[in-house]
Structures are given as C-alpha cells and as structure tokens.
Amino acid sequence: MPHADSPASFLDTPTGFRSWLLTHDHKRIGILYAIAITAFFFVGGAAAVLIRTELATPQGDVLTADGYNEAFTVHGVVMVWFFLIPSIPSVLGNILLPLMLGARDLAFPRLNLASWYLYALGGIFTIACLIAGGADTGWTFYTPFSTLFSNSNVLLVVVGVFIVGFSSILTGLNFIVTIHRMRAPGMHWFRMPLFAWTMYATSLVMILATPVLSMTLVLIGLERVFGVGIFDPALGGDPLLFQHLFWFYSHPAVYIMVLPAMGVVSEIIPCFVRKRIFGYRFMIYSIMAIAIVGFFVWGHHMFVSGQSMYAGIVFSLLSFVVAIPSAIKVFNWTATLYKGSITFEAPMLYALGFVGLFLLGGLTGLFLAATALDVHLTDTYFVVAHFHYIMVGGAVMAYMGGIHFWWPKVTGRLYPEAWARFAAILMFFGFNFTFLPQFVLGFLGMPRRYHSYDPEFGLLNAFSSGGAAVLATAYLLPLGYLSWSLFYGARSPANPWAATGLEWQTSSPPPTHNFLETPRVDGGPYEYSPSQAEAEAEARA
C-alpha cells in the first residue's frame, strides 16, 4: 500500500500477474531479472556444492568422471551467462539507470521486455540441456572436443547461450541510447554518476563483443551437425581459430562482469565516507580505458596454445597495460576513504570486501600475464582461484552491496542491519577460506577439471571445501532476511542513507514514471560535504 503522503509506487499499480509479465516499466523488468538470475544462481550454486563435495577427498567417490565434467560445465555456463553477466546490468542497471539520469524509463521499453524474454528462452534451453543429461565441454566449449568427440547435449546449451547473447545486445543498445538521449536537463557527461558511466562502457563492450561469440557458437553448430570444416584440421579447419574467437569475446566479457561492479562500489563508498569521490574524471577515463584496452588482450589466455612467441610478448605487455586503469580505480577508492567520516553499514562492508578481493584477484592476474609464469600456472587451480577472486569475490560482493544499498529505494522497506552486516563479513571470510588454498594448490601443480587427485593435495582441498560450506551459508542468509523484510521490514524513508544521487530525490519505492516532475541537475553526483559528516557524527555521539 502506498504511503498517505507519497504517490502510488510502481509496485502498487497496475496490479495482477499479467501486468508484470507484460510490463514496460524498467523497474519491474529489473525485478523480473532479479528473480530469474537468483534462481539460476542457486542452480549454478548447487553444481558448485557437488564439485566441492567431490573434491573434499582425493578419491572420486561422489561423482563419476563424466558426472564431474557435467557438474563443472553446468556451474560455469549458468554462472557466467545466466548470473554474472546479466546480474548488475540487467537488474541494477535496469532499475537504476533511468532514475540516475532523471528519465521516465529506458529509451525502448518494449525492447527491454523482449530482452528479458530472450533471457528466459535461453534459460529454458539450458535447463532442457540439464534435464536431457547435461553437457561436458566446460563453459569454454573448446574444439575439437565440442564439435567432434563429445556425446553430451552440446547443441542445446550452445543454443541457450546463443539466445541469451541477444538479450545482452538489446540491453546494451537500450542503455547507450538512453544515456545519449534521455539525461535530465543540466546533466552533462561529467555530471553523470560513475555507475552510469560503467553501464555505458559495459554496453559498448556488450554490443561489440557479443556478436563474435554468437557467430562462434553458430560455427560450432555448423561443424558439429553438418560437418563443415571450420575447426577440424582433417577438414581444413583450425582448432586455434576457435580459441581466438572465443577469447576475443570472453576476455572483454570479464569487464562486462567487473565494470558494473566498479560502478556500484563507486556509488557506495562516497556515501558512507561522506566525501566526494577522489579523481572523478580519472575514474571515468579509467572506465573507458579498461573497456577499450580489454579488447586487445585476449591472446594472454593462449600463451601455451602454440601461438607466435611475438604475439605472446605483445599480449603480455597489453595485459600489464590494462592493469593500470584498474590500479587507478583502487587508488582512488582508497584516497576517497582517507580522512573520510566512515560508517560501516552493510553496503559499505560489501564495498570494502569488493576492493580487497578485487585487489588480490588483480594482482594474481599479473602473474598470469607474465608468459614464463603462465606456462607453469596454466590450467591449474591458480587460474581457478584468480578467476573467482575477480568474478565471484569481486562481482558478487559488489552485486550484494548494490542490492543492499538500493533495497530501500526499490522495495520501500528496511532490512535487519545486524544480519546484513553478519552476512557480509561471513561472505568475505567464507570466500577467502574457499579460494585462498586454491592459489597454493595451483602453484603446487594441481590441475583443474580433475575429479580425483593425488593425496598430497587433500588437506588444502578439505580447507577449500569447508570454506565453501561457510560461503554457501553466507549466500543463503540474504535470501532469508531480505525476503522477511518484504513483509515485515520497517518502512523506509525516501533517502535512508542521505545519499546525493538523483535516484534518491524521489519517493521509495518510486512512482511508475520515476519523478513527478522532470528534475534539473545543477551539480555533480557526489556533493557530500564535511559539515554534513560532522553533524551526523555529533548526532551519533
């Protein structure tokens, strides 16, 4: 029910199941995405539980070798394409971007709804693959295994990923047009929130890189079904061509996952420090630099593939170059914290967790960018740990931080802060218990994708599986207390964090068209002041 002194919210009108399935409201579509990706998160999480249960002991005593292959394929495919890539752009981006820009909706509301249905259709194909027995190629679909030798349901999952790619492209197109054409009066490019900048950069990557993946998946289908020689040397093809095409998409895809996370953290930290973000323009230049340079480093995934030594040197150097703008962002977040009036609400704990885990993931990425070290570490658990520190430790911590930060705005409800802080801390430690041992395992030479292993790796794997149990508990907690808050949580004021973003200048939850009057922007997005921080500190004392 709406407040007596606030307009009816988008949650209240219109009503009925049909009004949600046919909605053009960007906020409702964002919630539809949130429900769908949460379901996929737990499908991928269930596969992770199977994997870590199997690896708790050296013997392959839980799954067969084929069953283990299918488990990590499901885990990778679902987590990458149905959770990590759409999580922040499709959920938080959909809900927040028009609000942050002072717009009534996205530029193409019907296209926005179509992108959700494409996502759901791709998900149906992937679930159908699971029901039919699964696929065993891993999320990378390397040829010639995926085209010639695998007897599993490769085509079903390839079709699912192919379809969901179009959902990403349509979302990116919608965001770019919205940012160019629908900003509120007075909001020029350097008054946009950093989250909107990361959505812009991410959208560019999505519409430029995703078609390459789509084309590559079609080529897999052509060779697998019709025997067209594309990757099979016996038919005149080249298996390395697949790796070039796949990583040309999949390395920029890392930035589809992590750039939005950087945007979320860049909104949270100034709010709970009560300071302007340090180096606002350098943050923007770094965002765009990461998006652009990210297109030129795909070959660092192929140092041991037999590519030219000179190509390896160039890709190694470019991989070090792309670390520079990432380092600038970490430096600027840290400088924003310096002498700030810091408070440690749950979103801030998640944001700080992101910075720490992203920093460790980024530094270990430099190890893999060095060709000599990479020869030793390729296809070991070191790579698994590095990947998860960036993609899960970084992106998921930021996603959870964003969910907690904007939860009162979207639902109009407050959640139990103590439980939220506990979950954030538990998630941070559970994650490190799970993945820190894997760096050591990889350095010692344990290969990935093996369901049984030498007993000498048993102790560290037992630690890792124990940490995974803690991490799973931490992931379940928010599902419980956030669901509880929907029905029993206290009513939230319009701006419970005293944040300065435009989205906080309307009611919580917002009305259908976001603002009763089109807002006018007269300043930057982070106009926090020392006097505000001092007044709040005195109030707390």
Side-chain angles (χ1 to χ4, degrees):
M1 296 292 290
H3 292 278
D5 56 349
S6 63
S9 81
F10 78 99
L11 295 174
D12 297 317
T13 58
T15 59
F17 194 59
R18 187 170 180 273
S19 74
W20 279 86
L21 292 181
L22 299 178
T23 184
H24 295 160
D25 187 324
H26 64 99
K27 301 179 288 298
R28 286 192 170 199
I29 294 171
I31 290 174
L32 291 176
Y33 267 114
I35 294 169
I37 72 159
T38 301
F40 277 109
F41 177 77
F42 284 102
V43 171
V49 169
L50 280 175
I51 293 167
R52 285 315 320 171
T53 304
E54 172 63 80
L55 296 177
T57 59
Q59 305 81 18
D61 44 13
V62 176
L63 298 170
T64 62
D66 288 341
Y68 184 79
N69 290 347
E70 290 165 3
F72 70 66
T73 300
V74 169
H75 175 68
V77 168
V78 169
M79 284 301 199
V80 170
W81 279 296
F82 293 91
F83 176 72
L84 287 169
I85 285 179
S87 60
I88 296 180
S90 297
V91 177
L92 297 178
N94 249 315
I95 294 172
L96 295 168
L97 189 60
L99 285 163
M100 287 182 165
L101 299 178
R104 289 163 59 93
D105 206 318
L106 288 172
F108 306 115
R110 289 181 176 83
L111 205 62
N112 196 22
L113 181 62
S115 70
W116 182 76
Y117 276 105
L118 283 172
Y119 172 86
L121 183 61
I124 289 170
F125 273 92
T126 304
I127 295 299
C129 169
L130 280 179
I131 295 171
D136 60 356
T137 59
W139 72 278
T140 49
F141 304 122
Y142 268 17
T143 58
F145 183 64
S146 62
T147 52
L148 294 180
F149 303 112
S150 174
N151 294 318
S152 60
N153 301 284
V154 178
L155 274 184
L156 271 177
V157 72
V158 162
V159 170
V161 175
F162 176 80
I163 293 172
V164 84
F166 284 91
S167 173
S168 291
I169 293 169
L170 296 184
T171 298
L173 178 67
N174 220 340
F175 284 2
I176 289 172
V177 176
T178 303
I179 291 170
H180 272 271
R181 305 295 300 172
M182 298 180 69
R183 299 194 306 275
M187 181 178 280
H188 57 65
W189 284 92
F190 288 105
R191 283 181 178 171
M192 276 205 317
L194 290 171
F195 179 79
W197 270 105
T198 59
M199 287 296 103
Y200 186 70
T202 302
S203 300
L204 289 174
V205 177
M206 285 196 293
I207 65 170
L208 292 175
T210 309
V212 177
L213 174 71
S214 303
M215 178 186 67
T216 309
L217 296 175
V218 169
L219 295 179
I220 286 180
L222 287 175
E223 181 161 297
R224 186 175 174 88
V225 177
F226 300 107
V228 178
I230 300 165
F231 306 118
D232 180 5
L235 299 174
D238 182 353
L240 276 189
L241 173 62
F242 174 83
Q243 293 193 36
H244 281 290
L245 293 172
F246 180 82
W247 288 115
F248 183 82
Y249 162 80
S250 293
H251 193 83
V254 170
Y255 303 115
I256 295 175
M257 298 179 238
V258 82
L259 275 172
M262 292 174 168
V264 169
V265 169
S266 298
E267 299 300 317
I268 293 174
I269 287 180
C271 178
F272 294 101
V273 177
R274 293 292 185 247
K275 280 178 63 184
R276 296 180 184 182
I277 193 89
F278 182 85
Y280 169 77
R281 292 204 177 205
F282 276 96
M283 293 290 266
I284 295 169
Y285 301 145
S286 299
I287 290 167
M288 298 309 295
I290 291 170
I292 294 168
V293 180
F295 275 102
F296 301 102
V297 299
W298 79 89
H300 79 212
H301 296 274
M302 301 169 56
F303 286 153
V304 297
S305 67
Q307 70 179 358
S308 144
M309 176 183 70
Y310 301 107
I313 293 171
V314 171
F315 282 122
S316 175
L317 289 174
L318 288 171
S319 301
F320 283 104
V321 169
V322 81
I324 295 172
S326 300
I328 290 173
K329 295 184 74 64
V330 173
F331 175 82
N332 285 9
W333 291 321
T334 309
T336 306
L337 294 171
Y338 180 64
K339 289 189 176 181
S341 180
I342 305 174
T343 56
F344 295 98
E345 285 85 350
M348 185 62 170
L349 293 178
Y350 279 111
L352 293 175
F354 165 87
V355 175
L357 298 179
F358 175 76
L359 182 63
L360 189 52
L363 288 174
T364 52
L366 296 179
F367 287 44
L368 297 171
T371 50
L373 265 176
D374 186 77
V375 170
H376 173 65
L377 298 172
T378 289
D379 284 340
T380 69
Y381 263 84
F382 192 95
V383 178
V384 176
H386 158 71
F387 182 86
H388 282 79
Y389 263 84
I390 296 289
M391 295 298 94
V392 182
V396 176
M397 286 294 277
Y399 177 66
M400 296 303 295
I403 290 290
H404 285 76
F405 186 54
W406 285 292
W407 183 263
K409 170 55 58 185
V410 177
T411 67
R413 298 281 187 172
L414 298 175
Y415 50 79
E417 180 65 26
W419 275 106
R421 291 181 185 181
F422 175 67
I425 294 169
L426 192 67
M427 203 174 292
F428 181 81
F429 283 104
F431 181 86
N432 281 294
F433 288 150
T434 305
F435 291 102
L436 262 181
Q438 295 183 14
F439 281 122
V440 184
L441 284 167
F443 185 78
L444 293 175
M446 178 171 170
R448 61 177 178 168
R449 299 186 173 181
Y450 278 53
H451 84 304
S452 60
Y453 53 86
D454 291 340
E456 67 192 75
F457 300 128
L459 181 61
L460 287 170
N461 268 298
F463 273 122
S464 184
S465 293
V470 176
L471 187 59
T473 305
Y475 284 145
L476 285 171
L477 283 175
L479 186 67
Y481 63 73
L482 291 178
S483 300
W484 176 90
S485 81
L486 285 177
F487 301 99
Y488 307 107
R491 293 283 184 187
S492 169
N495 189 358
W497 312 121
T500 59
L502 209 53
E503 75 274 21
W504 298 103
Q505 311 310 313
T506 187
S507 54
S508 296
T512 299
H513 295 300
N514 297 340
F515 301 94
L516 298 181
E517 296 180 0
T518 302
R520 180 170 183 81
V521 179
D522 298 315
Y526 307 107
E527 299 294 334
Y528 297 102
S529 66
S531 58
Q532 178 191 10
E534 290 171 6
E536 290 174 353
E538 289 176 6
R540 286 195 297 272

